[in-house]
Amino acid sequence: MGSYANLARRALETEMPIMVQMQEVLRGAKNCVSLAQGVVYWQPPKPALGKVKELVWEPSVSRYGADEGLPELRVALVKKLRQENNLHKSSVMVTAGANQAFVNLVLTLCDAGDSVVMFAPYYFNAYMSFQMTGITNIHVGPGSPDTLYPDVDWLERILTESKPVPKLVTVVNPGNPTGTYIPESLLQRIANLCKNAGSWLLVDNTYEYFMFDGLKHSCVEGNHIVNIFSFSKAYGMMGWRVGYIAYPSEVEGLSAQLLKVQDNIPICASIISQHLALHSLEMGPEWVRERVQTLAKNREIVSEALSPLGEGSVKGGEGAIYLFAKPPKGGYDDFDVVRWLANRHGIAVIPGSACGAAGNLRISFGGLTESDCRAAAERLKKGLEELVANGLVQDPVNF
Ligand SMILES: Cc1ncc(COP(=O)(O)O)c(C=O)c1O
């Protein structure tokens, strides 16, 4: 056994990624099906993949590109931001996914020792990004018990009463891990409170297209607001690693400071991936929406599988690819339930404790086609029926 003595506190004191812990659970369980990882079942658009295939011999693809992204992709994204997101005064930096966009922004906008605000249940990687950049003063606000919307009255109190004033507030819309969307008026109120307090607002729009039941996603803009986006889920490009930051063009120096961070992490996002992003974007938002609509059926199938938990136990799911459910209390924790479901019933989900909401489960309905989702949901339902009836029945071989 080695010693931990020389490892940095910034790493040691950061949570272990839940997906790494889940990989361990999955390795130990036989034939486990996953409703755990936040992924989609589709691949990038075929015509876009075809065009990129022809580009591999192009020398520029193997060289470094501009730090802020391929010029033609940035032009296309500025147009998309205007037309689809109503963002008219934003500049774009292309990153290796929305996660890297988030880290770039935390490093550019916050100092170690600053305080920040997020809402539970929160996106685990955002929490970890704060921890590992020395921002250990993390105010975690509640969500409304019924809707899970961020509690904006609480935010108002924190922003007026905390000294020093929190440097940054972050929200995910629609949310991971709950799938809860933030209505436009609420988002605007959050933006106004941040402006009055002098805090940055960082909105993660990774699931902008993932809205159900006719609900509409919206963005807010201002010189204190930064938005991040991702190609991962929308275009099935998880492994290609492309996301982007939309930041206020008018804020002097912001672009220069962002470039310092970018140049020291990826230098530029993968060039071939950026070409794929550009050609995917050419397919238009309808290409994405058609696929997202197929997930409404998956959501219905998974909701039905959660019915043994009883009325009021399942929340969220208006957007994104998640439902958030509360198993019965029974002297065990949510990770025990996750391990038990994986080992005894062959179905993986995420424990809410990874998202600041212990005692809950996050179920993702994006990664499987309808028929595979149906098979996974059957296992989940059987497991939950047993859990509700008998608790965590021990299996001497597997548990
Ligand atoms: C809210 C949220 N932000 C960011 C990411 C990471 O996206 P990317 O693959 O673009 O880094 C995810 C992925 O699950 C997410 O759910």
Side-chain angles (χ1 to χ4, degrees):
M1 269 303 245
S3 157
Y4 275 77
N6 289 325
L7 301 183
R9 278 209 318 278
R10 72 169 71 248
L12 290 173
E13 290 173 9
T14 297
E15 310 289 308
M16 185 56 77
I18 183 61
M19 293 322 301
V20 173
Q21 297 180 59
M22 286 307 297
Q23 278 156 16
E24 215 165 285
V25 171
L26 289 170
R27 269 196 298 275
K30 277 190 223 106
N31 298 323
C32 195
V33 178
S34 180
L35 292 172
Q37 202 169 14
V39 290
V40 295
Y41 68 80
W42 54 86
Q43 284 190 286
K46 260 201 183 137
L49 283 172
K51 285 181 190 159
V52 157
K53 205 170 148 195
E54 287 164 19
L55 276 177
V56 290
W57 296 106
E58 167 65 42
S60 66
V61 158
S62 299
R63 299 195 187 117
Y64 294 123
D67 283 36
E68 57 270 54
L70 287 184
E72 56 272 42
L73 176 58
R74 290 175 64 232
V75 167
L77 288 172
V78 166
K79 190 166 159 215
K80 176 259 179 196
L81 289 172
R82 288 206 183 111
Q83 290 177 346
E84 295 183 29
N85 305 109
N86 202 22
L87 298 177
H88 298 273
K89 295 178 173 180
S90 293
S91 300
V92 165
M93 168 175 274
V94 182
T95 55
N99 266 10
Q100 194 232 320
F102 192 90
V103 173
N104 274 19
L105 285 166
V106 174
L107 288 171
T108 304
L109 304 178
C110 300
D111 286 303
D114 280 347
S115 68
V116 294
V117 174
M118 62 199 311
F119 291 89
Y122 51 69
Y123 173 46
F124 34 77
N125 280 136
Y127 191 79
M128 291 169 65
S129 297
F130 289 136
Q131 288 181 308
M132 69 174 59
T133 51
I135 299 160
T136 47
N137 191 3
I138 308 168
H139 299 283
V140 178
S144 146
D146 295 329
T147 59
L148 302 180
Y149 293 161
D151 182 337
V152 185
D153 294 331
W154 174 89
L155 178 64
E156 185 164 21
R157 275 200 308 282
I158 280 288
L159 291 181
T160 42
E161 289 169 12
S162 299
K163 297 285 173 275
V165 174
K167 193 71 183 290
L168 178 144
V169 174
T170 189
V171 291
V172 184
N173 182 33
N176 177 359
T178 59
T180 304
Y181 93 116
I182 307 180
E184 192 169 359
S185 56
L186 197 65
L187 190 59
Q188 192 57 59
R189 192 170 158 219
I190 293 171
N192 294 345
L193 289 172
C194 290
K195 186 174 181 189
N196 294 341
S199 306
W200 287 99
L201 172 62
L202 192 174
V203 187
D204 182 335
N205 302 284
T206 288
Y207 300 99
E208 61 176 319
Y209 296 113
F210 293 71
M211 302 291 291
F212 303 106
D213 308 324
L215 293 171
K216 244 181 84 48
H217 172 268
S218 56
C219 284
V220 281
E221 190 167 41
N223 282 351
H224 65 298
I225 300 173
V226 282
N227 282 286
I228 62 177
F229 299 87
S230 173
F231 279 87
S232 291
K233 324 284 162 142
Y235 290 99
M237 281 179 54
M238 284 80 59
W240 293 83
R241 311 304 305 127
V242 187
Y244 53 104
I245 303 171
Y247 61 92
S249 315
E250 287 173 357
V251 176
E252 213 175 309
L254 178 50
S255 134
Q257 306 318 310
L258 276 169
L259 281 172
K260 292 181 191 171
V261 178
Q262 177 82 341
D263 203 61
N264 277 282
I265 307 183
I267 299 181
C268 60
S270 153
I271 302 295
I272 196 145
S273 299
Q274 292 191 66
H275 282 290
L276 180 62
L278 177 61
H279 293 309
S280 295
L281 212 54
E282 286 162 5
M283 304 299 293
E286 276 319 305
W287 186 92
V288 183
R289 290 206 182 97
E290 270 171 30
R291 278 148 192 82
V292 168
Q293 282 323 306
T294 65
L295 296 182
K297 191 70 194 169
N298 282 10
R299 184 185 59 157
E300 187 187 315
I301 293 165
V302 172
S303 298
E304 205 282 319
L306 294 169
S307 60
L309 298 179
E311 216 169 299
S313 303
V314 182
K315 301 227 158 73
E318 300 97 21
I321 49 178
Y322 308 109
L323 286 162
F324 209 59
K326 193 179 262 314
K329 285 200 177 82
Y332 38 76
D333 69 24
D334 51 9
F335 218 140
D336 290 335
V337 176
V338 166
R339 284 194 206 92
W340 181 82
L341 283 171
N343 290 328
R344 189 171 168 89
H345 291 277
I347 188 75
V349 297
I350 296 273
S353 48
C355 318
N360 293 280
L361 303 173
R362 184 194 83 169
I363 305 97
S364 169
F365 53 82
L368 300 173
T369 57
E370 185 183 323
S371 59
D372 288 346
C373 185
R374 225 175 258 290
E378 248 174 61
R379 293 184 183 195
L380 179 63
K381 187 169 185 183
K382 206 163 147 249
L384 295 178
E385 279 168 349
E386 186 175 37
L387 179 69
V388 169
N390 304 323
L392 293 190
V393 179
Q394 302 273 338
D395 178 338
V397 181
N398 290 325
F399 189 66

